[in-house]
Structures are given as structure tokens and as C-alpha cells.
């Protein structure tokens, strides 16, 4: 049986797809056979972030509709043989997905994969609902910013009432906080909500903090998941997150502003 | 600047303002999350009944549901117009 992880946030632009690509790659690189699914029907972008946009032939909707087999639609990642990508359809609308269709695909993937990462679209409509519906674990990507925190809380409410686990009275989805685009120096100046603030408001266990980083844009420009940039702080943050998720004891990093006077003077990543 | 001043200024930082606003908002939204789903419909029907007798606005009726460990309270608040047959506005 595979473990199904949803990467969700409610709000758009907080780093869901970046996170999905990074953690799927991280899990696969640790030797776990992993599939990552783009649930953003009509606005697919995971393929672009993973750098496989020119290899998309069939998509998630084709599989749901029986127009292609799962085997035909899955794209094997060029960097890691344990990682497969299931792209969303770019031409259909979001109503093309159905609960039954998604369930069938997830069940089939569960037979051979260890982890299934569901990249949720923004919002709380059908795509977002289906992305979280079957989840075992939820990675709630939040920026230290009022609208993102509020939307994350809304998403948590939906997961506790509208997921399969909630509807069937099973053990609830395990929810984790991933605080992204964090700037310790701005927190220090009182300009940004701190990790503790966000944790206090959302009352979620912290899986990791991803610092605001120039390397994230560089990675998406190149279509290489940020976790493969081992020199970057954001890449290391995601590697820590994957390790923590798998039960390794990793102390939290990137929470304190470590740069000294000279560091600030000359800048950093 | 003394140490005390430092703490005073950090109190009024935009981050603490954000935290305060969020805590209030999130607490409010969490309570409304557990409200019964019939509440908006109930509000509508009550409003229609009241309108048979008095000319009140949509926002003159307020239905609130509160829940604590021991009891559930349905609070109903209707503001009647001033010129209602000489009656005073009633809460």
C-alpha cells in the first residue's frame, strides 16, 4: 500500500508545485518508488517544474477516461529512476476529474508505488478537494503572511471534515506545516510572522522551514527540482524535510538569521 | 535606546499586528465552521416571517450559533424599524 501525501495550501503562489516536485524527488532519491500527480487540470505546471514538459503525451484525464493506460501516461523522471510524473490535462476543465476516477488511478498506483504525492491546485474547488480527499498525510505549505495563514486554516478545516478519512470516521489525515519563503532577518525586525507565531495560530507540527531563496527561481527556470541543488539553502531545507518525514532526527535550520555583519554586507543566496 | 524601549517597539511591529488579527479571525472562522448547515436557511425564513409584520432589512436580523462544553446557544437578534406602529425598536 502506498502512502498518499497531499501538498496543499488553499492560497496560490505559496510554493505547492515547487514543494511537490522537491519532496517527490527527495523520496525517490531515498530509494522509495514515488509518483507525483498534478491535480491542477487546465493549468498544469508540475511538468514544467520537473523539466519533462516536452515528454507529455497522455495525462491524468486520459487515464481516468480510459483513453490511455497508467503505464502510457506516467513519465519516468530523467534524474531519478524511482520517480514518475503524472501530468494534468491542459485542455480539459476541472470537472473532468471525478472521485471515482481519481480513486481508480490511486488504487492502481498503490500496487507498485511507495509514495504518491498529490500536487493540489489553489482554491477549495473540485481539483483541490479531490487532491486531498484520499490523502493519508498533508503537507500544508504556508507563507508567513496573513492571507496564506488564513487560507491554510481553511484548508485544515476542510481536510478534517471533507476527506475520505473524515467521512469514514478513520484516523484523521496527518497534517504537517511547511513554512516557505521565510526570511529570518525580517522576522527579527518584526516585519514577518515567526515560525512560532504561525505554529501557534495553526497548531500544526512543523516539518520544516524553507527560506526565501533565489535558487528556487533558478531551479524552476531550468526545470530541475530545487532539492537537486544541494548547495542551495532551499534545496537543503527540502532534503531535511524529506528526512524528517521519513523519521530521521534532523534539527531545524534556516529559522535563525545566521548571517553576520559581513554576510549581510556581501549578501547571500 | 534602552532594552525596555526595544521591547516596546517590537510590540507594535507589523508582525505582532498580523498575529493578533489572525488569532481573532481564525478563532472566529473555526467556531463558524462547526455551525449547523441550516443556519443561513433559518435566517432567511425567519426574516420572511418578520417581514410579514414589519419592514426590516436583510442585515437587521442576526443569527448566531455558539457552542461550549455544556450547551449550544442559538442567538437571534432582530432590529425592528423605529416607525413600527409606535413600538420602540426591540432587541
Amino acid at each position: 500500500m502506498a502512502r498518499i501525501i497531499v501538498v496543499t495550501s488553499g492560497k496560490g503562489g505559496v510554493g505547492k508545485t515547487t514543494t511537490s516536485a522537491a519532496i517527490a524527488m527527495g523520496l525517490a532519491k531515498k530509494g522509495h518508488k514515488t509518483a507525483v500527480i498534478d491535480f491542477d487540470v487546465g493549468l498544469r505546471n508540475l511538468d514544467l517544474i520537473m523539466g519533462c514538459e516536452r515528454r507529455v503525451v497522455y495525462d491524468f484525464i486520459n487515464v481516468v477516461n480510459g483513453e490511455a493506460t497508467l503505464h502510457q501516461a506516467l513519465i519516468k523522471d530523467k534524474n531519478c529512476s524511482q520517480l514518475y510524473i503524472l501530468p494534468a490535462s491542459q485542455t480539459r476543465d476541472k470537472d473532468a476529474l471525478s472521485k471515482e476516477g481519481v480513486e481508480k488511478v490511486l488504487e492502481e498506483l498503490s500496487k507498485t508505488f511507495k509514495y504518491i504525492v498529490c500536487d493540489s491546485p489553489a482554491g477549495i474547488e473540485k481539483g483541490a478537494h479531490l487532491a486531498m480527499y484520499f490523502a493519508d498525510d498533508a503537507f500544508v505549505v504556508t507563507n508567513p503572511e496573513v492571507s496564506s495563514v488564513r487560507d491554510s486554516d481553511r484548508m485544515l478545516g476542510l481536510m478534517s471534515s471533507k476527506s475520505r478519512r473524515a467521512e469514514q470516521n478513520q484516523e484523521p489525515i496527518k497534517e504537517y506545516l511547511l513554512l516557505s519563503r521565510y526570511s529570518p532577518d525580517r522576522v527579527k525586525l518584526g516585519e514577518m510572522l515567526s515560525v512560532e507565531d504561525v505554529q501557534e495560530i495553526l497548531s500544526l507540527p512543523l516539518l520544516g522551514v524553507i527560506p526565501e531563496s533565489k535558487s528556487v527561481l533558478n531551479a524552476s527556470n531550468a526545470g530541475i527540482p530545487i532539492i537537486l541543488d544541494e548547495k542551495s539553502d532551499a534545496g537543503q531545507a527540502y532534503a531535511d524535510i524529506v528526512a524528517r518525514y521519513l523519521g530521521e532526527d534532523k534539527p531545524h535550520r534556516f529559522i535563525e538569521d545566521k548571517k553576520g555583519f559581513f554576510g549581510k554586507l556581501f549578501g547571500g543566496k | 535606546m534602552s532594552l525596555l524601549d526595544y521591547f516596546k517597539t517590537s510590540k507594535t511591529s507589523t508582525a505582532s499586528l498580523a498575529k493578533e488579527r489572525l488569532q481573532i479571525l481564525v478563532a472566529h472562522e473555526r467556531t463558524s465552521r462547526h455551525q449547523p448547515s441550516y443556519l443561513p436557511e433559518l435566517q432567511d425564513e425567519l426574516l420572511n416571517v418578520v417581514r410579514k409584520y414589519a419592514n426590516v432589512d436583510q442585515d437587521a436580523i442576526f443569527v448566531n450559533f455558539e457552542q461550549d462544553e455544556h450547551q449550544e446557544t442559538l442567538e437571534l437578534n432582530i432590529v425592528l424599524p423605529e416607525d413600527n406602529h409606535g413600538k420602540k425598536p426591540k432587541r
Side-chain angles (χ1 to χ4, degrees):
Chain A
M1 262 314 263
R3 194 86 188 156
I4 301 173
I5 304 167
V6 61
V7 177
T8 189
S9 69
K11 191 178 180 296
V14 297
K16 282 184 296 298
T17 303
T18 301
T19 300
S20 299
I23 60 153
M25 178 63 79
L27 289 166
K29 278 191 60 181
K30 289 265 188 185
H32 305 292
K33 198 174 177 194
T34 304
V36 56
I37 309 177
D38 191 348
F39 274 76
D40 205 345
V41 177
L43 289 170
R44 81 164 170 233
N45 277 317
L46 181 69
D47 53 337
L48 209 49
I49 301 299
M50 303 280 308
C52 65
E53 71 277 10
R54 297 206 295 186
R55 293 161 63 207
V56 177
V57 182
Y58 296 108
D59 57 54
F60 195 8
I61 306 292
N62 291 137
V63 179
V64 167
N65 291 347
E67 295 153 2
T69 64
L70 195 51
H71 181 75
Q72 286 175 307
L74 283 171
I75 302 167
K76 192 174 182 173
D77 187 80
K78 56 181 188 278
N79 293 301
C80 183
S81 62
Q82 294 286 78
L83 180 59
Y84 290 80
I85 301 123
L86 184 56
S89 169
Q90 184 69 334
T91 49
R92 312 289 181 88
D93 64 87
K94 55 185 186 297
D95 294 322
L97 282 179
S98 66
K99 204 176 266 181
E100 296 71 30
V102 172
E103 185 174 24
K104 224 178 82 192
V105 172
L106 291 177
E107 262 175 19
E108 205 179 327
L109 285 170
S110 286
K111 289 177 196 160
T112 48
F113 285 87
K114 181 83 188 293
Y115 291 103
I116 302 169
V117 178
C118 302
D119 181 21
S120 173
I124 52 169
E125 285 168 65
K126 198 168 186 180
H129 181 230
L130 288 174
M132 66 82 167
Y133 187 76
F134 299 98
D136 300 305
D137 300 313
F139 287 9
V140 181
V141 185
T142 307
N143 290 168
E145 179 268 324
V146 284
S147 51
S148 175
V149 175
R150 180 197 208 173
D151 291 359
S152 291
D153 189 66
R154 178 99 167 89
M155 221 42 239
L156 291 170
L158 291 173
M159 285 193 288
S160 66
S161 60
K162 299 271 193 309
S163 62
R164 179 168 67 175
R165 281 174 173 270
E167 285 178 2
Q168 297 183 354
N169 272 323
Q170 292 174 355
E171 199 185 316
I173 297 175
K174 275 211 183 86
E175 300 154 336
Y176 301 96
L177 174 66
L178 276 75
L179 195 60
S180 61
R181 307 200 69 163
Y182 197 69
S183 300
D185 49 337
R186 299 201 69 185
V187 172
K188 208 172 167 186
L189 289 170
E191 296 176 352
M192 185 181 269
L193 289 164
S194 68
V195 194
E196 294 81 18
D197 291 342
V198 179
Q199 265 194 284
E200 196 183 321
I201 295 161
L202 296 177
S203 31
L204 280 185
L206 179 71
L207 199 56
V209 170
I210 305 108
E212 172 77 59
S213 170
K214 285 181 182 170
S215 46
V216 173
L217 184 60
N218 282 324
S220 76
N221 285 343
I224 300 164
I226 181 67
I227 199 167
L228 294 177
D229 184 355
E230 289 164 12
K231 288 202 183 85
S232 75
D233 44 3
Q236 291 171 14
Y238 278 115
D240 282 7
I241 284 168
V242 170
R244 271 183 216 115
Y245 174 70
L246 293 174
E248 287 175 43
D249 185 25
K250 289 261 178 192
H252 283 286
R253 295 194 276 171
F254 314 110
I255 294 176
E256 301 289 320
D257 189 12
K258 284 231 179 84
K259 265 182 264 165
F261 174 72
F262 286 104
K264 272 181 190 147
L265 206 63
F266 299 113
K269 271 185 286 229
Chain B
M1 196 166 85
S2 74
L3 198 62
L4 195 69
D5 285 336
Y6 175 76
F7 282 112
K8 270 183 187 162
T9 52
S10 69
K11 275 268 187 222
T12 53
S13 71
T14 56
S16 53
L17 199 62
K19 187 184 179 185
E20 201 183 306
R21 291 173 62 215
L22 272 170
Q23 278 174 324
I24 294 166
L25 183 71
V26 163
H28 177 76
E29 288 180 345
R30 278 181 194 161
T31 54
S32 60
R33 207 179 277 163
H34 302 293
Q35 283 184 349
S37 54
Y38 57 74
L39 222 55
E41 210 180 324
L42 176 71
Q43 176 161 349
D44 251 24
E45 283 188 35
L46 283 169
L47 188 65
N48 285 333
V49 173
V50 175
R51 272 185 177 155
K52 276 189 187 172
Y53 305 95
N55 186 23
V56 294
D57 287 337
Q58 181 74 40
D59 51 2
I61 184 164
F62 174 76
V63 182
N64 190 32
F65 180 84
E66 267 174 36
Q67 198 174 24
D68 61 32
E69 278 171 43
H70 310 291
Q71 57 184 3
E72 292 171 350
T73 318
L74 187 67
E75 184 190 342
L76 180 63
N77 195 343
I78 305 166
V79 183
L80 293 174
E82 292 269 3
D83 56 346
N84 190 32
H85 310 296
K87 278 183 199 157
K88 283 190 175 169
K90 190 166 92 179
R91 283 194 66 147

